[in-house]
Amino acid sequence: MLYDAVFALDDPDALVGAGLSCPACLDEATRLFVDVADGVLDARCDCPSCGATWALSLAPQQLLRLSLDPPSHADVRWSRRLPSSLLAVELDDQDAWDA
């Protein structure tokens, strides 16, 4: 089953953890394998507690949140390098870094 991830970039850990929790037993100790398939961000998820599996559709901002500050109960793993075209902002040259 595919679900849309329901957390924002600036949400506190508790809300991000709840958004990543198992839809079957609501345990927050989930495993996520973030990938890109056909240009779409998604995460294949499973729950060590009950064995449920599901998929999450992720927006670029959610990907950023997971990469910079993943919730403590979730085990987030990256399956491959993400293409730069999926990033929210593209920087054209070094001058953009100095702005």
Side-chain angles (χ1 to χ4, degrees):
M1 176 137 311
L2 177 65
Y3 298 96
D4 289 329
V6 291
F7 60 90
L9 176 66
D10 58 350
D11 279 346
D13 277 353
L15 290 178
V16 177
L20 299 176
S21 64
C22 174
C25 73
L26 302 179
D27 193 343
E28 288 186 13
T30 58
R31 292 184 291 222
L32 293 85
F33 303 96
V34 180
D35 198 359
V36 176
D38 297 324
V40 177
L41 287 169
D42 75 354
R44 302 293 171 196
C45 310
D46 68 80
C47 177
S49 296
C50 73
T53 60
W54 67 100
L56 283 176
S57 174
L58 297 168
Q61 296 83 0
Q62 292 166 326
L63 176 73
L64 180 62
R65 172 62 162 87
L66 290 177
S67 65
L68 294 177
D69 188 20
S72 60
H73 295 294
D75 179 11
V76 181
R77 301 197 180 209
W78 309 96
S79 63
R80 71 173 83 155
R81 183 182 171 142
L82 299 172
S84 62
S85 63
L86 291 175
L87 298 176
V89 177
E90 289 188 40
L91 299 177
D92 293 311
D93 54 51
Q94 185 60 36
D95 293 335
W97 287 98
D98 299 328

